[in-house]
Amino acid sequence: MSIRIFSGLYPVQPGMEKAYQAERNSYNSQQIKYGGLIAIFISLVLMLRYLLSGGDSKEGFISLLYPFLLAGIVVNALIYYTFNRTFRKRLSLSSYSSFQLILITMFFFFLTGLSIIGVLLSGGLNVYLILVLFISLVIWMKSSQYCLFSILSFLLILFFMYIGAGSREQLISSVIQGFFYFTVGWFLYLSMTSLLMENFYNRVSLEEQYTQLATESITDPLTGLYNRRSLNDDLNKEWALSKRKGAPFCIMMIDIDNFHDINDIFGHTAGDQLIRDVSAILRNAVRLSDKVYRFGGEEFLIIVPETPLDVAASVSERIRKNVEKNSFKGINKTVTLSLGLAQSQEDINVDILVNRVEQKLLLAKENGRNRIEY
């Protein structure tokens, strides 16, 4: 049986590998944390019992390994807690995954050793069942890794069953029981992996929906610019930041001249395309720190942080010229803008500032359009 057969089980969607790996790391970390505490407690109890009983009645090298394997489980768990607390935040995603895999492998070998001792000394498969549950439920491994651990442990148990079997009937009974545990382990692993992956994709889908809803609530569907709903919050934030830093900011209000005539002559489709094209020009003409809003209809507003009025005026003039010299698809005439500018002051509030820029824009229209007033 090739491990590659199982490597494609529950494949991760392209582009989500890192998020899935982070999810698996988080899950494994939580499971190892609680599983390690249980393992420490049980191992200490069994070790104490072994020491108080004076060792197994069947003396020999095999029975002497028993306390060392229990101690290995305890030490392995303590290493995890120490390393995890000290270095987890310093490790990359892949490095932390490698650390977890090493830890899982160590637990696997210690539990496998205890399972073999149990088979040789008593013929019981109780520890092997714990091993099966450990690698199928406690640890969310890749399918290829689980396949390797599961088949390797089962083959080792079968081999030592054959060596330690007292009779043919006992061997057959043990093999049937071991195969049943092996099958249960695969069923649990596939069920758990399927459930965890389904939960992962459901959570990712919900996060994407929340992000989309949040984006749609603050953006204009036609242009992709911020909408008027988000403007008030952003203006208040910018106002508070300006007062704290002592640096003024400006706002520009922009209107496409004679837009209603353009709509009537060239049609609403061309008008909508013109609004999208002007929006793209506005976005490209300002800094990343500046925010562009569709204020309503053919009107736009731009917040220009930490910028005095004369600098904002030069930016406005560049925008006006870019639009005037541009040829727009479906519009066989020159398109111009009217712009109003206003600068924040300590003795006025946000509402007064917006009212002032609206008055400046109205003045630009009254004075012949295709101009800037401030």
Side-chain angles (χ1 to χ4, degrees), residues 318-336:
R318 184 172 69 248
I319 292 172
R320 187 194 66 79
K321 289 181 178 179
N322 286 346
V323 172
E324 185 179 21
K325 69 182 182 181
N326 198 78
S327 296
F328 295 96
K329 183 179 180 180
I331 309 295
N332 297 323
K333 61 172 293 185
T334 300
V335 177
T336 61

Side-chain angles (χ1 to χ4, degrees), residues 23-193:
E23 183 87 358
R24 186 170 64 239
N25 284 355
S26 177
Y27 173 82
N28 287 348
S29 180
Q30 183 180 16
Q31 297 298 83
I32 295 173
K33 177 181 178 180
Y34 296 116
L37 289 175
I38 296 173
I40 290 175
F41 176 75
I42 294 177
S43 297
L44 290 176
V45 170
L46 291 177
M47 191 181 302
L48 181 63
R49 176 187 174 187
Y50 177 87
L51 295 175
L52 291 177
S53 65
D56 195 276
S57 58
K58 298 180 180 180
E59 296 294 337
F61 175 73
I62 294 178
S63 64
L64 291 178
L65 287 177
Y66 183 73
F68 291 101
L69 293 172
L70 292 175
I73 293 176
V74 174
V75 171
N76 200 43
L78 292 177
I79 289 175
Y80 167 76
Y81 289 119
T82 303
F83 193 91
N84 192 59
R85 180 180 293 272
T86 307
F87 297 104
R88 179 176 181 179
K89 295 182 179 180
R90 305 180 188 178
L91 296 177
S92 64
L93 193 63
S94 58
S95 297
Y96 189 62
S97 297
S98 300
F99 160 67
Q100 287 187 339
L101 182 59
I102 292 172
L103 187 75
I104 293 167
T105 304
M106 295 301 295
F107 272 122
F108 167 78
F109 280 117
F110 287 133
L111 286 173
T112 301
L114 290 174
S115 301
I116 292 172
I117 290 176
V119 169
L120 292 177
L121 295 183
S122 64
L125 294 174
N126 294 334
V127 182
Y128 175 64
L129 177 60
I130 295 175
L131 171 63
V132 167
L133 294 176
F134 171 77
I135 60 176
S136 61
L137 289 178
V138 178
I139 303 302
W140 187 14
M141 291 184 292
K142 296 179 182 178
S143 54
S144 57
Q145 295 168 350
Y146 178 79
C147 182
L148 176 63
F149 288 152
S150 175
I151 294 177
L152 177 60
S153 61
F154 182 60
L155 292 178
L156 286 172
I157 291 299
L158 285 180
F159 175 75
F160 285 100
M161 279 180 187
Y162 177 77
I163 292 178
S167 63
R168 185 170 180 273
E169 291 75 14
Q170 182 184 358
L171 176 62
I172 294 175
S173 176
S174 298
V175 169
I176 293 174
Q177 186 180 4
F179 184 76
F180 174 75
Y181 290 163
F182 174 79
T183 305
V184 168
W186 267 102
F187 173 78
L188 292 175
Y189 169 73
L190 294 176
S191 300
M192 180 60 68
T193 304

Side-chain angles (χ1 to χ4, degrees), residues 123-344:
L125 294 174
N126 294 334
V127 182
Y128 175 64
L129 177 60
I130 295 175
L131 171 63
V132 167
L133 294 176
F134 171 77
I135 60 176
S136 61
L137 289 178
V138 178
I139 303 302
W140 187 14
M141 291 184 292
K142 296 179 182 178
S143 54
S144 57
Q145 295 168 350
Y146 178 79
C147 182
L148 176 63
F149 288 152
S150 175
I151 294 177
L152 177 60
S153 61
F154 182 60
L155 292 178
L156 286 172
I157 291 299
L158 285 180
F159 175 75
F160 285 100
M161 279 180 187
Y162 177 77
I163 292 178
S167 63
R168 185 170 180 273
E169 291 75 14
Q170 182 184 358
L171 176 62
I172 294 175
S173 176
S174 298
V175 169
I176 293 174
Q177 186 180 4
F179 184 76
F180 174 75
Y181 290 163
F182 174 79
T183 305
V184 168
W186 267 102
F187 173 78
L188 292 175
Y189 169 73
L190 294 176
S191 300
M192 180 60 68
T193 304
S194 176
L195 177 62
L196 290 171
M197 183 167 284
E198 182 179 354
N199 290 338
F200 168 71
Y201 283 119
N202 286 339
R203 183 177 59 78
V204 170
S205 177
L206 286 175
E207 290 177 354
E208 290 176 348
Q209 291 178 27
Y210 290 145
T211 301
Q212 183 178 358
L213 289 172
T215 301
E216 290 176 351
S217 69
I218 62 172
T219 56
D220 172 61
L222 178 64
T223 63
L225 300 178
Y226 293 104
N227 61 22
R228 195 164 179 173
R229 178 182 298 177
S230 63
L231 175 60
N232 289 336
D233 289 340
D234 291 341
L235 274 174
N236 287 322
K237 290 177 183 177
E238 191 58 44
W239 188 274
L241 184 63
S242 176
K243 290 182 67 175
R244 186 166 66 249
K245 291 187 174 182
F249 71 95
C250 291
I251 58 174
M252 305 177 194
M253 188 167 285
I254 304 164
D255 182 80
I256 301 175
D257 293 330
N258 302 311
F259 181 76
H260 293 291
D261 293 339
I262 294 173
N263 258 344
D264 293 339
I265 297 171
F266 302 103
H268 290 281
T269 300
D272 288 346
Q273 185 60 48
L274 175 61
I275 290 176
R276 285 192 288 265
D277 291 341
V278 170
S279 300
I281 292 175
L282 296 179
R283 274 196 300 259
N284 293 330
V286 298
R287 303 168 300 181
L288 291 176
S289 59
D290 303 334
K291 300 188 75 171
V292 185
Y293 304 81
R294 188 181 181 193
F295 195 70
E298 69 277 14
E299 290 185 339
F300 306 89
L301 187 141
I302 303 177
I303 299 178
V304 190
E306 301 183 31
T307 303
L309 192 60
D310 57 340
V311 176
S314 64
V315 176
S316 300
E317 180 62 16
R318 184 172 69 248
I319 292 172
R320 187 194 66 79
K321 289 181 178 179
N322 286 346
V323 172
E324 185 179 21
K325 69 182 182 181
N326 198 78
S327 296
F328 295 96
K329 183 179 180 180
I331 309 295
N332 297 323
K333 61 172 293 185
T334 300
V335 177
T336 61
L337 301 179
S338 295
L339 301 95
L341 284 178
Q343 178 180 293
S344 63

